[in-house]
Amino acid sequence: MKILFSTINKSGYTQNTATQNNYNKQIPTPINQITKLSDFPKSYISFTGGYSISLKETFDNFERAEKKTGKKVAPPRVEQEMFKQLEMGNPDELTLIDVHKKVYKGLTNADSLDEIRKKYPEFENTKSASEVDLSDSKYVDNIQKGHNNVFNNKEDLSLQILKLYWGEGFSLSDIVANTNTPKATLSNIMEKLNLPRVSNRYGAVLKLSDKEYNARISAAMADKMAEIHALKNGLPLIPHKVSDEQKEKISNGLIKYYADNPERLHEMSQRQKDFYKNHPEAALTLKLVMYKAWNMNSCSVVKRKLKEFLKEKHKFSQNDESLFPTDMSEKQQKLMKTFWDQNPYLKKKFSHAVKQSYDKINTLPDLDLMKNVAGVPFLPKLLEQRMITQAKAQGEKTNNLDLNNLGLKLAPDNILKITKEHKIINNFFRNRTELKLYNNALSQHLIGIHSYCERKSNNANTETYSIIANKIKNFMHPQRNISINDVLKLYAEIVQTMKKDNLNEDIRILNSYFNFYYENAFKQLTQKNNN
């Protein structure tokens, strides 16, 4: 889709008198219709000069226009924020677009129109698309059928327009140009939805005060199209507020999506980036999947060809192909996309490797669940020692390692980095026998915790022991198919419950039980192998 940018015109800032009749109705001659200097309106000389970058001059000119016409230029909330910033001396050197986005930033991450109505009274009369009859619009019908490349059918159309027009501050003209929407159609839709519009003068200065306007609208439209592609390929719309249940479903869905479309890793929508930023454990899962995929034997030819391609196109280091997309520069991301576009056969091989990697990673202990018990060893001492011994044998430097306290090791952008500890644990558990041994010891540990808590509950002043005992009893239902991640999750919950009740001595005692169960299980396995 070619991104176009039209000039400011009359239809771009048409007044919605139903909801904003206090805004200026005087609309000057569009710039693209002026043929001689004498036709150039004074209002454009006043409102589109270089001073529009200055918040003070913008505020003063808005005030002069109000005195002259008796009509407000800026939305009241923006005007108040401008005054507030100027009173403080505008220390951050904000321009009008900065103030506008500061005021309406709550729109960008809203998940519903109701959420916006509560926060912004000026939109309390805005209607949801589901409340209005738009059946006469073929354009809206195409959106509802999922045939539009910008507006999706999973989110209220009112909400989507509000985010672009008020949240981002894009002009109506440019929304029309970039969404291939007929002008009259979008105006009619906004009128029916009772969406307020800014005054013509305010819109003109808003655009001129934004040095990055063209780049921002290009990025926003590319982002919308990336989101549409994901939705058409079965990915759910990612809400800005994600529950634990949704998080796991979205994380799994994204990995499946990227396995089918590896080139899309480098075209993440902003929602996808925000999801990984806000849920670093999901980012870690994806990183581990990609790391393992790149290091599979079946991927060696892909890796070699990529290295040749990157050397030719200058200059990735040889390990950069496993970088997380949000860690890559824009140039690097474009190079990766070009590589996949030019090598569909290699893309297919890598896609298969990602799917295999995910299947294997999905059965390994969930490192995020392990970090939930930070401060309490989730690895028995003997197991930790065996992991370090194996790592040394594989040439790893093991000084200052702390396998029992992975914690959250964050990059500046809040995305989890895969640490040496993560890799050592992951490599060790590739051996299914070791994984099974750990799972058995952990399951025995839970049974031991159950017995311990039942005994303690008889004489304790707290209900915590009884709660934990019942939780384990319900968990160990014989008909249930229990995975190691289920066991780890319950163990994490138990430890956190005990911590909240300051049962630290009990945690220490139970940890010694865990060491015993693992040592016993390992001894039995060794004897069995020797026989």
Side-chain angles (χ1 to χ4, degrees):
M1 173 181 173
K2 187 177 180 181
I3 303 296
L4 302 172
F5 302 98
S6 60
T7 55
I8 300 169
N9 56 48
K10 183 174 178 179
S11 65
Y13 298 96
T14 303
Q15 176 61 41
N16 183 344
T17 55
T19 56
Q20 292 286 134
N21 49 18
N22 63 326
Y23 281 166
N24 198 325
K25 297 179 184 177
Q26 295 186 3
I27 303 170
T29 306
I31 291 175
N32 60 342
Q33 294 179 19
I34 295 174
T35 56
K36 55 184 184 294
L37 187 61
S38 58
D39 290 337
F40 206 102
K42 290 181 180 178
S43 57
Y44 264 106
I45 296 173
S46 298
F47 281 91
T48 63
Y51 71 82
S52 64
I53 294 299
S54 162
L55 192 65
K56 176 68 169 63
E57 292 184 35
T58 300
F59 185 82
D60 291 344
N61 278 281
F62 281 178
E63 276 199 326
R64 282 196 291 272
E66 184 181 342
K67 286 176 183 176
K68 184 177 179 180
T69 65
K71 303 294 182 181
K72 288 280 186 186
V73 177
R77 196 185 291 265
V78 173
E79 185 179 47
Q80 290 167 13
E81 184 62 29
M82 289 172 74
F83 183 76
K84 177 183 171 183
Q85 292 296 328
L86 291 171
E87 266 199 325
M88 296 188 298
N90 194 15
D92 297 324
E93 298 183 356
L94 303 182
T95 65
L96 181 60
I97 186 63
D98 299 322
V99 174
H100 180 96
K101 291 195 73 178
K102 180 182 174 72
V103 168
Y104 290 108
K105 66 180 179 181
L107 297 180
T108 310
N109 293 326
D111 286 320
S112 71
L113 187 57
D114 284 340
E115 190 180 331
I116 289 174
R117 286 167 176 159
K118 288 175 185 175
K119 191 168 185 177
Y120 297 95
E122 56 264 55
F123 303 122
E124 63 184 358
N125 294 321
T126 297
K127 297 176 182 177
S128 166
S130 62
E131 300 170 355
V132 177
D133 182 12
L134 298 171
S135 58
D136 58 337
S137 171
K138 187 176 179 181
Y139 183 80
V140 174
D141 185 54
N142 282 334
I143 293 174
Q144 291 171 345
K145 289 178 179 176
H147 296 160
N148 191 280
N149 287 330
V150 175
F151 294 119
N152 70 71
N153 61 357
K154 305 294 183 183
E155 192 173 35
D156 193 333
L157 184 58
S158 291
L159 188 61
Q160 294 184 71
I161 296 174
L162 273 173
K163 287 180 178 182
L164 289 175
Y165 184 68
W166 282 94
E168 295 292 345
F170 296 141
S171 75
L172 199 61
S173 305
D174 290 328
I175 294 174
V176 162
N178 286 278
T179 59
N180 292 328
T181 312
K183 293 179 184 178
T185 299
L186 190 55
S187 294
N188 184 48
I189 289 171
M190 291 183 71
E191 194 71 35
K192 286 188 175 183
L193 296 175
N194 211 21
L195 276 162
R197 301 189 202 173
V198 299
S199 69
N200 179 70
R201 293 184 175 189
Y202 178 79
V205 179
L206 186 67
K207 183 173 180 177
L208 288 165
S209 72
D210 186 359
K211 294 178 181 178
E212 306 296 327
Y213 185 89
N214 286 358
R216 280 201 314 114
I217 196 166
S218 294
M221 294 305 155
D223 186 71
K224 294 284 283 179
M225 286 187 278
E227 197 167 88
I228 290 290
H229 183 278
L231 290 171
K232 286 181 177 179
N233 282 271
L235 199 67
L237 187 71
I238 302 174
H240 295 284
K241 300 171 190 68
V242 178
S243 67
D244 288 341
E245 185 180 348
Q246 288 174 314
K247 179 180 72 175
E248 187 174 353
K249 185 177 179 182
I250 291 168
S251 178
N252 292 340
L254 281 168
I255 290 173
K256 183 179 182 301
Y257 173 65
Y258 295 136
D260 292 333
N261 306 274
E263 77 283 4
R264 292 283 169 177
L265 264 169
H266 312 292
E267 295 179 340
M268 278 190 180
S269 72
Q270 191 57 48
R271 282 190 192 231
Q272 291 164 9
K273 290 176 184 176
D274 289 345
F275 173 76
Y276 284 120
K277 182 178 179 180
N278 296 331
H279 303 282
E281 66 280 4
L284 176 60
T285 301
L286 180 61
K287 281 186 174 186
L288 287 172
V289 169
M290 294 302 163
Y291 173 79
K292 187 173 180 64
W294 277 116
N295 287 282
M296 283 183 167
N297 291 335
S298 60
C299 236
S300 57
V301 64
V302 185
K303 208 171 181 180
R304 178 168 52 80
K305 291 289 186 182
L306 176 60
K307 189 176 179 181
E308 292 171 2
F309 170 82
L310 295 175
K311 186 177 180 181
E312 177 189 336
K313 296 287 181 182
H314 6 267
K315 288 181 172 102
F316 263 79
S317 67
Q318 66 180 50
N319 293 321
D320 279 352
E321 71 270 15
S322 60
L323 276 176
F324 200 60
T326 52
D327 297 335
M328 287 185 175
S329 67
E330 188 176 342
K331 180 181 178 182
Q332 289 172 327
Q333 291 184 26
K334 285 180 179 178
L335 276 174
M336 289 298 295
K337 184 179 184 304
T338 302
F339 174 76
W340 294 127
D341 289 345
Q342 292 179 2
N343 298 278
Y345 169 69
L346 297 177
K347 173 182 163 183
K348 189 175 179 180
K349 282 185 77 70
F350 181 69
S351 177
H352 181 65
V354 172
K355 290 172 185 175
Q356 280 188 312
S357 170
Y358 178 62
D359 288 341
K360 291 181 179 179
I361 292 285
N362 207 31
T363 61
L364 294 177
D366 188 325
L367 297 183
D368 177 52
L369 294 171
M370 291 180 179
K371 69 139 174 75
N372 283 337
V373 293
V376 178
F378 57 86
L379 297 176
K381 287 180 182 177
L382 177 59
L383 176 56
E384 185 177 16
Q385 290 167 4
R386 295 181 64 231
M387 285 182 171
I388 290 174
T389 299
Q390 178 179 291
K392 280 182 179 177
Q394 293 172 346
E396 291 280 1
K397 293 181 180 178
T398 57
N399 297 335
N400 302 318
L401 284 180
D402 188 0
L403 299 182
N404 255 319
N405 190 17
L406 294 179
L408 280 177
K409 304 200 176 178
L410 299 173
D413 58 1
N414 205 36
I415 297 295
L416 260 174
K417 295 290 186 186
I418 298 176
T419 65
K420 184 184 289 186
E421 287 89 346
H422 291 134
K423 291 177 183 177
I424 287 173
I425 293 172
N426 192 52
N427 287 337
F428 188 87
F429 280 131
R430 285 178 179 175
N431 184 320
R432 291 295 181 238
T433 302
E434 296 292 356
L435 185 61
K436 187 177 180 181
L437 183 66
Y438 178 68
N439 195 9
N440 289 342
L442 190 57
S443 299
Q444 285 295 314
H445 185 35
L446 284 179
I447 295 170
I449 294 174
H450 175 264
S451 301
Y452 179 87
C453 288
E454 271 199 330
R455 290 196 306 272
K456 293 281 284 189
S457 64
N458 295 327
N459 302 310
N461 295 324
T462 176
E463 293 183 356
T464 303
Y465 298 111
S466 180
I467 291 170
I468 291 173
N470 288 329
K471 187 175 285 192
I472 295 173
K473 183 179 178 181
N474 294 332
F475 179 82
M476 294 295 188
H477 193 281
Q479 302 301 318
R480 183 172 177 179
N481 183 20
I482 300 173
S483 72
I484 189 169
N485 282 337
D486 293 330
V487 179
L488 272 169
K489 185 174 182 180
L490 178 62
Y491 182 45
E493 289 174 2
I494 289 168
V495 173
Q496 293 301 335
T497 301
M498 286 184 162
K499 277 188 169 183
K500 284 178 185 175
D501 215 7
N502 294 318
L503 303 178
N504 297 319
E505 179 61 18
D506 295 283
I507 292 173
R508 187 192 66 77
I509 293 170
L510 291 173
N511 183 57
S512 69
Y513 286 9
F514 197 8
N515 289 327
F516 169 78
Y517 291 130
Y518 183 80
E519 288 169 12
N520 191 49
F522 179 66
K523 190 183 297 181
Q524 290 177 9
L525 178 65
T526 305
Q527 289 173 351
K528 183 180 177 182
N529 290 340
N530 290 337
N531 292 333

